[in-house]
Amino acid sequence: MNIQTIIKMLTDAGIEEREAKKEVKMLLEHFCNYTEKDEILGHPLTEEHLNIVKGKVEARLADRTPVQYIIGESYFMGEFFKVTHDVLIPRPETELLVTKGIEIIKENNLDSVLDIGTGSGCIACTIAKKTSATVLGVDISSDALRIALDNVTRLGINNRAVFRKSDLFSKIRAEERFDMIISNPPYIPKGTELEPELRHEPSIALFAEENGLQLYRKIVSEAPDYLNEGGWLIFELGIGESDAVKSFMDEYFEGVTVEKDLNGIDRIIYGKMI
Ligand code: GLN
């Protein structure tokens, strides 16, 4: 057995070669402490390394569990976040959202951010780590919040990112105001057939009513009550949702802008309260 045999187990199961190689690399690094550096230095892979990775690949393929859940961690914007089946695995697309959010925060010296549907806390923690703003992350799921709390401790930013159980704005006090509201809400239209890996993620984090638009509509209509004057709202978008979300936002926000991801899909939208 060599590493190619293990990569082939994944590609034979229909996983793209690039993804398969990435996953094997992640497993080697996590379970065998064998890093890219070892590869560059020509350190040989032992039979024990290969057996460990093979076992993990078998578990991965048995029920198509995403590799990040097997490892229990996912890389996002320079940090490893704890993930379990209670939270969505942070996506590369969400890095675009957070990068833009950070740019707006820095350009406008924003101090306070509300992250709605914080999940693993990847958005809240990254903003707290990379800007001087304080972040409140809310989620309807206590199980998700437990993971977010572990992540904020891991990153050592406990006093700058805080969390609260809240169904959207339900537990935000009437007098609380933020300079920015950011969210990657569930946006897949309910009833959509998903690839097997996605079925391991919490459906509450994935699906939304109203063709995927329900949470955007609700958040947009309530956001003005919780934003400071000239505050910002920024979302990640599901495929084909930009026109509808823009029309919701145009009512209360100006300069509403849509930006595409690397695949040319409208992926983020932001605007400033009128
Ligand atoms: N905010 C989290 C993320 O972007 C979770 C989003 C969600 O569960 N819809 O990964």
Side-chain angles (χ1 to χ4, degrees), residues 76 86-91 94-95 97-98 115-124 138-139 144 182-187 201-202 204-207 236:
F76 182 78
D86 294 316
V87 297
L88 208 72
I89 296 165
R91 304 288 202 275
T94 306
E95 297 199 345
L97 170 75
V98 175
D115 171 25
I116 298 184
T118 198
S120 64
C122 63
I123 297 175
V138 297
D139 206 288
I182 189 166
S183 184
N184 174 26
Y187 55 57
E201 298 192 88
I204 192 180
L206 293 170
F207 295 110
E236 181 172 323

Side-chain angles (χ1 to χ4, degrees), residues 140 147 153 155 161 169 250 261 269:
I140 193 174
I147 308 301
T153 306
L155 267 69
F169 298 96
D250 280 338
D261 65 17
I269 188 165

Side-chain angles (χ1 to χ4, degrees), residues 142-246:
S142 310
D143 294 329
L145 286 170
R146 253 178 236 120
I147 308 301
L149 288 172
D150 284 347
N151 280 323
V152 78
T153 306
R154 258 183 187 222
L155 267 69
I157 40 161
N158 294 51
N159 49 349
R160 307 248 330 290
V162 296
F163 296 93
R164 190 185 303 167
K165 184 170 176 169
S166 178
D167 179 2
L168 304 180
F169 298 96
S170 70
K171 291 291 184 309
I172 308 295
R173 290 185 293 276
E175 74 284 2
E176 278 184 287
R177 292 286 179 282
F178 302 88
D179 295 330
M180 171 183 277
I181 295 172
I182 189 166
S183 184
N184 174 26
Y187 55 57
I188 300 175
K190 210 168 194 157
T192 306
E193 192 55 37
L194 296 181
E195 55 179 279
E197 276 78 1
L198 264 77
R199 288 187 219 134
H200 291 271
E201 298 192 88
S203 54
I204 192 180
L206 293 170
F207 295 110
E209 304 278 357
E210 301 172 25
N211 284 322
L213 296 171
Q214 187 188 43
L215 282 311
Y216 295 110
R217 182 182 58 72
K218 288 188 172 180
I219 294 170
V220 172
S221 65
E222 284 196 67
D225 295 339
Y226 298 95
L227 280 170
N228 285 319
E229 207 176 307
W232 294 78
L233 177 61
I234 175 165
F235 286 120
E236 181 172 323
L237 291 167
I239 295 175
E241 297 178 336
S242 57
D243 288 348
V245 178
K246 184 168 187 313

Side-chain angles (χ1 to χ4, degrees), residues 76-77 91-110 113 122-123 126-127 130-131 133 179-183 232-237 249 254-261 266-272:
F76 182 78
M77 292 192 76
R91 304 288 202 275
E93 289 84 348
T94 306
E95 297 199 345
L96 210 67
L97 170 75
V98 175
T99 303
K100 189 71 206 185
I102 289 174
E103 193 185 306
I104 295 172
I105 291 166
K106 288 189 171 164
E107 260 171 25
N108 300 281
N109 291 317
L110 306 184
V113 177
C122 63
I123 297 175
T126 306
I127 291 177
K130 295 185 190 268
T131 74
D179 295 330
M180 171 183 277
I181 295 172
I182 189 166
S183 184
W232 294 78
L233 177 61
I234 175 165
F235 286 120
E236 181 172 323
L237 291 167
M249 286 183 68
E254 60 187 8
V256 177
T257 307
V258 174
E259 290 186 8
K260 291 184 190 302
D261 65 17
D266 287 352
R267 190 54 75 182
I268 57 171
I269 188 165
Y270 52 90
K272 192 174 171 13

